[in-house]
Structure formats: C-alpha cells, structure tokens
Amino acid sequence: MRSVRLGILVPSSNTSLEPLTSAIISSIRSSEVTISVHFSRFRVTTIDLSSDANAQFEFLPILIASRLLADAEVDVIGWSGTSAGWLGFEYDRKLCAAIEAETGIKATTSVLSLNEILRSLGIISFGLVTPYQKQMNDLIRANYASIGVDINENWERHLGITDNNQIAEVSEATLDGMVTDVVNNGAHVLSTFCTNLRAAQRVEHWEREHSASVIVLDTVATVIWGSLKLVGVDTRVVKGWGFLFEVE
C-alpha cells in the first residue's frame, strides 16, 4: 500500500484548520493509499490591510516553516491560508516556487487550489463568505475580476473581524445565516474563504439543505484537494465533505 505524507503550513494563531484538516484526512477510505498530515507554523496574529499585517506573509518565515516539514520528508506542502486573496494570486505562485526551490517538494495553496477548481468546473462567478473587513473582500473581488471570475456585490458577506483568535469563535449559526443569505441572493457556488473559520464541517449540510445545485468550496478543504492532486491521489477517497471531493 502506498503511503503519502501531506505537509500543511499554518498561521500561528489559527486553531481551526488543524482539527478540520485532520478530520478530513481521517475520513479517507482507500485500500490503495494511507495518508497522514503534518503541520508547521509561522507567526500570523492579525488579518487586515496594514503594512504590519501584510509583513506577516513575507517569505522567509514561511520558508523556515517549510524546511521543518521537509525534515519529515512530506510528499507535498500546502499553504492553508487565503492571503493571496488580497495580496494577489502572483504572491502564491511565487511562494510555491520558492518553497519548491528551498525544499525540492511540490507546493500548493488554498487559493491556487480554489482557482484550479473554478477553472476545472468552468465556474465564472461565485459568492464570498469571510470574517474579514469589507475592504479586504473588495480586494478579493477585484483580484478575481482580473482573471475573469465575478463575485457579485450581492453575493459577498463579511464580519469585519481582524483578530484571528476571534475568527475561530465565529459560530456555525452565524455561518449558516451568511451562507443562506448568499444563496438566497442567487449564488449557486460560494466559498467560505478563510482557514480559521470552522466551516468545512458544514459544507455537506449546506449543499444538501440548499439543493444539489449549490456548491460550497471551503478553503481548508481546497488545499487538501490540491495537495492530493499534486501527489496523484484520487480526491474521491475523501468521504463526507461535500461535492468538491465527489468529482474527478
């Protein structure tokens, strides 16, 4: 049986993505592959558009964290974060190239994987649910518009939170309301766009509740999808986490 190790980069103040990622990996049912997940952190505490906040995503600390994952001989490194949403997609492309040059290990990110999913499914518009400030959502919308993907202004919802610890405290009831609002305004595809939101576990519920035509792409899940793709594992081995893992 083949053994695969996934390496995941984590913002230091994030307390949601590790348990969610572990739960997703634990759902895998396969007689051909066993998959383990391993984490490494770098410092991120505040999520806003200030120069100090953006400096948290400089490459050096991320590369140091990546080297630690390389020590575990992981097969792929995934950045489970959404900073490219406002910093620009080129940021993640350059980051992945730097990680690969530093470690010799393939790399992907939540956002690049999300974008690949949108392309593969031919999706040219989607809704956006975040805990961020409106200005950040506006930047995310502008970056998607630059690649021909529309986020209708009626399909974006935000909470205005900048403290990453507070983001992890957003309740399922709050997320349920935001998702329902976006869907009721006409979105058939939406993303819960922040890896410190406890949202991935609700995806299957939302898709079932709002009919089979609704797809929810959570960014904790997208980096797992992208990482599995990079190492040649059929993503359908993941069971119970929504449409994303049900298609080839």
Side-chain angles (χ1 to χ4, degrees):
M1 181 180 288
R2 182 185 176 197
S3 177
V4 172
R5 298 173 184 168
L6 305 185
I8 299 293
L9 294 164
V10 186
S12 61
S13 56
N14 187 309
T15 55
S16 298
L17 80 82
E18 285 165 307
L20 285 169
T21 300
S22 295
I24 293 171
I25 296 303
S26 294
S27 77
I28 288 174
R29 299 291 178 267
S30 174
S31 60
E32 298 178 356
V33 62
T34 60
I35 300 174
S36 60
V37 60
H38 311 274
F39 302 98
S40 188
R41 289 175 177 254
F42 64 95
R43 194 157 197 265
V44 177
T45 58
T46 302
I47 310 296
D48 60 40
L49 295 177
S50 68
S51 57
D52 286 346
N54 286 340
Q56 297 172 120
F57 301 104
E58 292 178 354
F59 283 6
L60 180 58
I62 305 176
L63 293 177
I64 292 171
S66 298
R67 288 182 205 133
L68 298 179
L69 288 173
D71 289 346
E73 298 184 351
V74 297
D75 297 288
V76 62
I77 293 175
W79 159 221
S80 191
T82 53
S83 53
W86 58 92
L87 295 177
F89 305 137
E90 187 63 20
Y91 167 87
D92 268 7
R93 286 190 284 267
K94 289 180 177 178
L95 175 62
C96 287
I99 290 171
E100 292 176 20
E102 183 70 27
T103 66
I105 297 169
K106 296 177 182 178
T108 189
T109 75
S110 293
V111 173
L112 293 182
S113 296
L114 172 60
N115 294 354
E116 182 181 348
I117 294 157
L118 296 174
R119 283 192 300 272
S120 67
L121 296 176
I123 294 168
I124 59 172
S125 64
F126 70 99
L128 185 67
V129 171
T130 84
Y132 306 139
Q133 297 172 310
K134 185 179 186 304
Q135 301 97 308
M136 296 184 74
N137 273 24
D138 288 344
L139 272 178
I140 295 167
R141 291 176 59 220
N143 281 321
Y144 275 99
S146 74
I147 61 169
V149 178
D150 178 55
I151 300 175
N152 187 299
E153 64 181 355
N154 294 317
W155 297 354
E156 74 88 15
R157 296 295 180 271
H158 58 277
L159 295 172
I161 302 172
T162 59
D163 184 325
N164 206 25
N165 287 292
Q166 292 179 16
I167 290 173
E169 297 172 3
V170 174
S171 69
E172 286 188 352
T174 296
L175 291 172
D176 288 348
M178 296 171 78
V179 168
T180 296
D181 198 21
V182 169
V183 171
N184 286 346
N185 273 278
H188 294 289
V189 180
L190 65 97
S191 177
T192 43
F193 196 95
C194 174
T195 63
N196 205 19
L197 284 177
R198 298 183 189 276
Q201 80 285 356
R202 295 294 283 172
V203 166
E204 193 171 53
H205 165 78
W206 291 326
E207 291 179 341
R208 185 171 57 245
E209 180 179 71
H210 297 295
S211 86
S213 63
V214 171
I215 298 171
V216 181
L217 302 171
D218 178 77
T219 50
V220 170
T222 59
V223 74
I224 297 172
W225 181 93
S227 295
L228 293 176
K229 285 283 188 182
L230 275 183
V231 294
V233 173
D234 188 337
T235 57
R236 291 173 296 177
V237 298
V238 174
K239 304 297 182 183
W241 294 86
F243 175 83
L244 171 62
F245 295 107
E246 294 171 1
V247 294
E248 288 189 58

